[in-house]
Amino acid sequence: MRNAILLVCWSMMFQCVFAQNPSISGTSGAINTAMAGIGASVANEWAIFNNIGALSAYQNILPSAMLSFENRFGIKALNSYHFGIVSPIAFGGAGGITFQRFGDKHFNQTQVGIGYSHQISLVSVGAKVNYFQIAVDDQIGITQGARSNFLLELGGLAQLSKKWAVGIYGYNFTQSKLRVLDAGEDRIPVILKAGVSYQPIEAVFLSLETEKHIDYPATFRTGLNYRIHKYFYVRTGISTEPFLSAFGIGFHPKDFAFDYALNNQSALGWVHQFSIRYALRKLKLREEKINE
Protein backbone atom coordinates (compact mmCIF):
# COMPACT_ATOMS: atom_id res chain seq x y z
CA MET A 1 0.00 0.00 0.00
CA ARG A 2 2.82 2.38 0.92
CA ASN A 3 4.52 1.70 -2.43
CA ALA A 4 1.30 2.38 -4.30
CA ILE A 5 0.91 5.76 -2.57
CA LEU A 6 4.50 6.65 -3.40
CA LEU A 7 3.90 5.72 -7.05
CA VAL A 8 0.84 7.98 -7.24
CA CYS A 9 2.78 10.89 -5.70
CA TRP A 10 5.67 10.29 -8.11
CA SER A 11 3.31 10.24 -11.10
CA MET A 12 1.70 13.52 -9.99
CA MET A 13 5.11 15.15 -9.75
CA PHE A 14 5.98 14.00 -13.28
CA GLN A 15 2.69 15.42 -14.56
CA CYS A 16 3.48 18.75 -12.92
CA VAL A 17 6.94 18.86 -14.47
CA PHE A 18 5.64 17.92 -17.92
CA ALA A 19 2.86 20.51 -17.73
CA GLN A 20 5.28 23.32 -16.89
CA ASN A 21 8.13 22.37 -19.24
CA PRO A 22 7.84 19.16 -21.29
CA SER A 23 11.24 17.50 -21.39
CA ILE A 24 11.00 15.92 -24.84
CA SER A 25 9.05 18.67 -26.59
CA GLY A 26 10.79 21.49 -24.70
CA THR A 27 13.90 23.48 -25.59
CA SER A 28 17.21 21.76 -26.38
CA GLY A 29 20.65 23.33 -26.23
CA ALA A 30 22.07 25.63 -23.57
CA ILE A 31 22.12 28.53 -26.05
CA ASN A 32 18.32 28.59 -26.24
CA THR A 33 17.73 27.47 -22.66
CA ALA A 34 19.82 30.39 -21.33
CA MET A 35 17.35 32.71 -23.09
CA ALA A 36 14.47 31.18 -21.09
CA GLY A 37 13.69 28.61 -23.78
CA ILE A 38 13.46 30.86 -26.84
CA GLY A 39 13.44 28.73 -29.99
CA ALA A 40 10.85 29.61 -32.64
CA SER A 41 12.79 32.50 -34.20
CA VAL A 42 16.36 31.34 -33.56
CA ALA A 43 18.32 30.04 -36.55
CA ASN A 44 21.23 27.87 -35.38
CA GLU A 45 22.20 24.19 -35.34
CA TRP A 46 19.89 23.52 -32.39
CA ALA A 47 16.92 24.41 -34.61
CA ILE A 48 16.87 20.70 -35.52
CA PHE A 49 15.28 20.30 -32.06
CA ASN A 50 13.57 23.66 -31.46
CA ASN A 51 12.15 24.69 -34.86
CA ILE A 52 13.01 22.52 -37.83
CA GLY A 53 11.84 25.26 -40.17
CA ALA A 54 14.60 27.62 -38.99
CA LEU A 55 17.45 25.19 -39.67
CA SER A 56 18.09 26.12 -43.31
CA ALA A 57 17.84 29.83 -42.45
CA TYR A 58 21.15 29.50 -40.60
CA GLN A 59 23.65 30.70 -43.19
CA ASN A 60 26.78 29.37 -41.43
CA ILE A 61 25.62 25.79 -41.02
CA LEU A 62 28.28 23.08 -41.29
CA PRO A 63 28.08 19.33 -40.76
CA SER A 64 27.93 19.26 -36.95
CA ALA A 65 27.32 16.98 -33.99
CA MET A 66 25.66 18.28 -30.80
CA LEU A 67 25.21 16.85 -27.32
CA SER A 68 23.29 18.36 -24.42
CA PHE A 69 22.70 17.26 -20.81
CA GLU A 70 20.14 18.73 -18.42
CA ASN A 71 19.59 18.19 -14.69
CA ARG A 72 16.38 19.47 -13.16
CA PHE A 73 16.20 20.39 -9.46
CA GLY A 74 19.06 18.05 -8.53
CA ILE A 75 16.89 14.96 -9.14
CA LYS A 76 18.57 12.20 -11.14
CA ALA A 77 15.23 10.83 -12.35
CA LEU A 78 14.59 14.16 -14.14
CA ASN A 79 17.80 14.13 -16.17
CA SER A 80 17.52 14.49 -19.94
CA TYR A 81 19.94 13.92 -22.83
CA HIS A 82 19.81 15.33 -26.35
CA PHE A 83 22.00 14.28 -29.27
CA GLY A 84 21.80 15.51 -32.83
CA ILE A 85 23.63 15.61 -36.16
CA VAL A 86 22.93 18.28 -38.79
CA SER A 87 24.33 18.98 -42.23
CA PRO A 88 23.66 21.03 -45.35
CA ILE A 89 22.20 18.83 -48.11
CA ALA A 90 23.82 18.59 -51.55
CA PHE A 91 20.55 19.23 -53.42
CA GLY A 92 19.65 22.19 -51.19
CA GLY A 93 18.47 22.92 -47.69
CA ALA A 94 19.64 21.23 -44.50
CA GLY A 95 18.65 18.18 -42.49
CA GLY A 96 19.53 16.07 -39.52
CA ILE A 97 18.68 13.37 -37.01
CA THR A 98 18.00 13.63 -33.28
CA PHE A 99 17.86 11.41 -30.23
CA GLN A 100 16.32 12.56 -26.94
CA ARG A 101 15.79 10.76 -23.65
CA PHE A 102 14.27 11.87 -20.36
CA GLY A 103 13.92 10.03 -17.04
CA ASP A 104 15.42 6.88 -15.54
CA LYS A 105 14.89 3.12 -15.74
CA HIS A 106 11.54 3.33 -13.91
CA PHE A 107 9.98 6.04 -16.09
CA ASN A 108 11.41 7.48 -19.29
CA GLN A 109 10.52 9.22 -22.52
CA THR A 110 12.53 8.57 -25.69
CA GLN A 111 12.21 10.31 -29.03
CA VAL A 112 14.11 9.68 -32.29
CA GLY A 113 13.57 12.02 -35.22
CA ILE A 114 14.66 12.90 -38.74
CA GLY A 115 14.02 16.31 -40.27
CA TYR A 116 14.60 18.43 -43.35
CA SER A 117 14.45 22.20 -43.90
CA HIS A 118 14.57 24.20 -47.13
CA GLN A 119 14.81 27.90 -47.81
CA ILE A 120 12.89 29.62 -50.60
CA SER A 121 13.86 33.27 -50.98
CA LEU A 122 13.52 34.79 -47.50
CA VAL A 123 11.32 32.00 -46.08
CA SER A 124 12.63 28.78 -44.57
CA VAL A 125 10.26 25.85 -43.91
CA GLY A 126 10.77 22.36 -42.59
CA ALA A 127 9.24 19.14 -41.27
CA LYS A 128 10.41 16.46 -38.87
CA VAL A 129 9.08 12.97 -38.19
CA ASN A 130 9.56 11.54 -34.69
CA TYR A 131 9.14 8.15 -33.09
CA PHE A 132 7.97 8.83 -29.51
CA GLN A 133 7.94 6.27 -26.69
CA ILE A 134 7.08 6.23 -22.99
CA ALA A 135 8.28 3.30 -20.88
CA VAL A 136 7.26 2.52 -17.30
CA ASP A 137 8.65 -0.09 -14.91
CA ASP A 138 7.62 0.60 -11.32
CA GLN A 139 8.96 -2.72 -9.96
CA ILE A 140 5.78 -3.34 -7.97
CA GLY A 141 3.57 -4.52 -10.83
CA ILE A 142 1.01 -1.70 -11.02
CA THR A 143 2.02 -0.30 -14.41
CA GLN A 144 4.62 -1.77 -16.72
CA GLY A 145 5.44 -1.73 -20.40
CA ALA A 146 6.04 0.73 -23.22
CA ARG A 147 3.74 2.76 -25.46
CA SER A 148 4.80 4.51 -28.65
CA ASN A 149 3.64 6.32 -31.77
CA PHE A 150 4.84 8.54 -34.62
CA LEU A 151 4.30 12.31 -34.62
CA LEU A 152 5.08 15.29 -36.82
CA GLU A 153 6.76 18.65 -36.25
CA LEU A 154 6.35 21.59 -38.66
CA GLY A 155 8.00 24.99 -38.61
CA GLY A 156 9.01 28.04 -40.55
CA LEU A 157 11.04 31.23 -40.32
CA ALA A 158 10.64 34.38 -42.42
CA GLN A 159 13.50 36.87 -42.64
CA LEU A 160 11.60 40.17 -42.87
CA SER A 161 14.80 42.21 -43.10
CA LYS A 162 18.45 42.05 -42.06
CA LYS A 163 17.37 42.80 -38.49
CA TRP A 164 13.90 41.25 -38.10
CA ALA A 165 12.68 37.65 -38.36
CA VAL A 166 9.46 35.83 -37.47
CA GLY A 167 9.20 32.13 -36.67
CA ILE A 168 6.38 29.65 -36.06
CA TYR A 169 6.58 26.04 -34.90
CA GLY A 170 4.20 23.22 -34.06
CA TYR A 171 4.94 20.02 -32.14
CA ASN A 172 2.73 16.96 -32.73
CA PHE A 173 0.72 18.44 -35.58
CA THR A 174 -0.73 14.99 -36.16
CA GLN A 175 -2.27 15.02 -32.65
CA SER A 176 -0.87 11.54 -32.13
CA LYS A 177 -1.89 9.58 -29.03
CA LEU A 178 -0.55 6.68 -27.01
CA ARG A 179 -2.84 3.70 -26.70
CA VAL A 180 -3.38 2.33 -23.21
CA LEU A 181 -4.67 -1.20 -22.85
CA ASP A 182 -8.19 -1.26 -21.34
CA ALA A 183 -7.98 2.47 -20.62
CA GLY A 184 -8.55 4.31 -23.88
CA GLU A 185 -5.88 6.73 -25.09
CA ASP A 186 -3.29 9.03 -23.57
CA ARG A 187 -2.53 12.21 -25.53
CA ILE A 188 0.94 13.39 -26.52
CA PRO A 189 1.14 17.18 -26.00
CA VAL A 190 0.27 19.47 -28.90
CA ILE A 191 2.40 22.62 -28.62
CA LEU A 192 2.43 25.75 -30.78
CA LYS A 193 5.08 28.47 -30.69
CA ALA A 194 5.47 31.83 -32.40
CA GLY A 195 8.30 34.31 -31.99
CA VAL A 196 9.94 37.42 -33.37
CA SER A 197 13.64 38.26 -33.22
CA TYR A 198 15.52 41.55 -33.61
CA GLN A 199 19.27 41.85 -34.25
CA PRO A 200 20.20 45.56 -34.25
CA ILE A 201 23.94 44.77 -34.56
CA GLU A 202 25.85 41.56 -35.18
CA ALA A 203 26.76 41.11 -31.51
CA VAL A 204 23.24 41.53 -30.08
CA PHE A 205 20.25 39.22 -30.55
CA LEU A 206 16.84 39.84 -28.94
CA SER A 207 13.75 37.64 -29.15
CA LEU A 208 10.17 37.54 -27.88
CA GLU A 209 8.13 34.34 -28.01
CA THR A 210 4.82 32.85 -26.95
CA GLU A 211 4.07 29.15 -26.48
CA LYS A 212 0.66 27.49 -26.13
CA HIS A 213 0.35 24.00 -24.74
CA ILE A 214 -3.08 22.75 -25.77
CA ASP A 215 -4.07 22.01 -22.15
CA TYR A 216 -2.41 24.91 -20.31
CA PRO A 217 -2.21 28.73 -20.29
CA ALA A 218 0.05 30.49 -22.77
CA THR A 219 3.69 31.09 -21.85
CA PHE A 220 5.57 34.27 -22.80
CA ARG A 221 9.37 34.48 -23.05
CA THR A 222 11.96 37.08 -23.85
CA GLY A 223 15.67 36.48 -24.29
CA LEU A 224 18.96 38.24 -25.02
CA ASN A 225 22.18 36.87 -26.53
CA TYR A 226 25.19 39.22 -26.43
CA ARG A 227 28.63 38.50 -27.86
CA ILE A 228 31.12 40.23 -25.58
CA HIS A 229 34.20 38.94 -27.39
CA LYS A 230 35.02 37.06 -30.57
CA TYR A 231 34.56 33.72 -28.80
CA PHE A 232 32.53 34.60 -25.66
CA TYR A 233 28.78 35.08 -25.18
CA VAL A 234 26.49 35.98 -22.28
CA ARG A 235 22.75 35.30 -22.28
CA THR A 236 19.70 35.93 -20.15
CA GLY A 237 15.92 35.66 -20.33
CA ILE A 238 12.66 35.43 -18.40
CA SER A 239 9.54 33.33 -18.86
CA THR A 240 6.01 33.24 -17.46
CA GLU A 241 3.72 30.30 -16.56
CA PRO A 242 5.66 29.48 -14.45
CA PHE A 243 7.89 32.48 -13.90
CA LEU A 244 11.56 31.63 -14.31
CA SER A 245 14.76 33.55 -14.83
CA ALA A 246 17.57 32.22 -17.00
CA PHE A 247 21.25 32.96 -17.45
CA GLY A 248 24.06 31.46 -19.48
CA ILE A 249 27.49 31.76 -21.01
CA GLY A 250 29.09 30.43 -24.17
CA PHE A 251 32.60 29.82 -25.46
CA HIS A 252 32.87 29.17 -29.21
CA PRO A 253 36.49 28.71 -30.31
CA LYS A 254 36.71 27.79 -34.01
CA ASP A 255 34.97 24.43 -34.60
CA PHE A 256 33.89 23.81 -30.99
CA ALA A 257 31.10 25.43 -28.98
CA PHE A 258 30.66 25.03 -25.22
CA ASP A 259 27.53 26.46 -23.59
CA TYR A 260 26.03 26.46 -20.11
CA ALA A 261 22.57 27.56 -18.97
CA LEU A 262 21.13 28.06 -15.48
CA ASN A 263 17.40 28.44 -14.87
CA ASN A 264 15.66 29.15 -11.60
CA GLN A 265 12.05 28.22 -10.84
CA SER A 266 11.35 29.70 -7.41
CA ALA A 267 8.91 26.94 -6.43
CA LEU A 268 11.12 24.02 -7.49
CA GLY A 269 14.76 25.05 -7.71
CA TRP A 270 17.62 25.14 -10.21
CA VAL A 271 17.91 23.66 -13.67
CA HIS A 272 21.38 23.19 -15.20
CA GLN A 273 22.04 22.46 -18.86
CA PHE A 274 25.40 21.85 -20.55
CA SER A 275 25.84 21.49 -24.29
CA ILE A 276 28.68 20.99 -26.73
CA ARG A 277 28.78 21.24 -30.50
CA TYR A 278 31.54 20.19 -32.88
CA ALA A 279 31.51 21.47 -36.45
CA LEU A 280 33.07 19.04 -38.93
CA ARG A 281 34.79 21.81 -40.84
CA LYS A 282 37.43 19.45 -42.22
CA LEU A 283 34.70 17.51 -43.98
CA LYS A 284 33.53 20.64 -45.77
CA LEU A 285 37.06 21.60 -46.78
CA ARG A 286 37.63 18.11 -48.15
CA GLU A 287 34.46 18.35 -50.25
CA GLU A 288 35.55 21.74 -51.64
CA LYS A 289 38.90 20.29 -52.71
CA ILE A 290 37.17 17.41 -54.48
CA ASN A 291 34.89 19.83 -56.34
CA GLU A 292 37.92 21.79 -57.50
Side-chain angles (χ1 to χ4, degrees), residues 56-282:
S56 60
Y58 183 49
Q59 301 300 316
N60 299 321
I61 190 169
L62 292 170
S64 303
M66 303 100 70
L67 178 65
S68 181
F69 167 76
E70 182 181 84
N71 174 263
R72 304 180 66 81
F73 321 125
I75 301 174
K76 185 177 180 180
L78 301 183
N79 287 350
S80 62
Y81 307 85
H82 309 258
F83 174 76
I85 296 176
V86 298
S87 175
I89 306 299
F91 54 80
I97 58 175
T98 60
F99 173 83
Q100 299 161 266
R101 181 179 173 86
F102 167 84
D104 60 7
K105 63 181 180 180
H106 302 304
F107 180 95
N108 59 75
Q109 294 180 328
T110 302
Q111 181 169 276
V112 180
I114 181 170
Y116 173 74
S117 177
H118 185 72
Q119 187 170 20
I120 304 174
S121 185
L122 299 178
V123 178
S124 174
V125 295
K128 183 180 172 187
V129 178
N130 298 303
Y131 177 75
F132 180 91
Q133 176 183 277
I134 288 181
V136 179
D137 182 5
D138 57 40
Q139 294 187 325
I140 59 176
I142 295 180
T143 55
Q144 292 184 344
R147 295 166 288 155
S148 61
N149 205 345
F150 288 92
L151 60 90
L152 179 66
E153 298 178 35
L154 297 174
L157 185 117
Q159 195 71 44
L160 304 181
S161 68
K162 291 184 178 180
K163 298 181 178 181
W164 291 93
V166 175
I168 56 173
Y169 165 75
Y171 177 81
N172 191 19
F173 251 83
T174 50
Q175 300 185 41
S176 300
K177 301 177 181 180
L178 299 174
R179 294 192 176 277
V180 183
L181 295 177
D182 302 323
E185 295 177 323
D186 188 13
R187 289 188 299 177
I188 301 173
V190 176
I191 300 174
L192 304 176
K193 298 180 183 181
V196 57
S197 64
Y198 175 60
Q199 193 165 12
I201 59 176
E202 186 178 355
V204 177
F205 178 87
L206 299 164
S207 185
L208 178 67
E209 178 176 298
T210 181
E211 173 184 320
K212 182 64 176 75
H213 188 298
I214 195 170
D215 294 321
Y216 300 98
T219 295
F220 295 91
R221 303 186 179 101
T222 183
L224 165 68
N225 182 29
Y226 177 49
R227 190 180 69 191
I228 60 175
H229 184 268
K230 183 178 180 180
Y231 298 138
F232 292 92
Y233 298 78
V234 293
R235 307 176 180 103
T236 187
I238 57 174
S239 174
T240 66
E241 297 295 336
F243 177 83
L244 66 82
S245 55
F247 310 91
I249 57 175
F251 177 50
H252 295 191
K254 295 184 179 180
D255 298 334
F256 279 96
F258 304 90
D259 297 284
Y260 168 71
L262 176 67
N263 289 0
N264 177 258
Q265 295 184 9
S266 57
L268 296 173
W270 298 96
V271 179
H272 303 268
Q273 187 171 138
F274 303 86
S275 63
I276 182 172
R277 173 188 57 80
Y278 176 61
L280 306 173
R281 188 181 300 272
K282 294 181 180 179

Side-chain angles (χ1 to χ4, degrees), residues 31-48:
I31 295 175
N32 302 70
T33 301
M35 293 188 285
I38 292 289
S41 60
V42 181
N44 59 16
E45 292 92 347
W46 294 95
I48 188 68

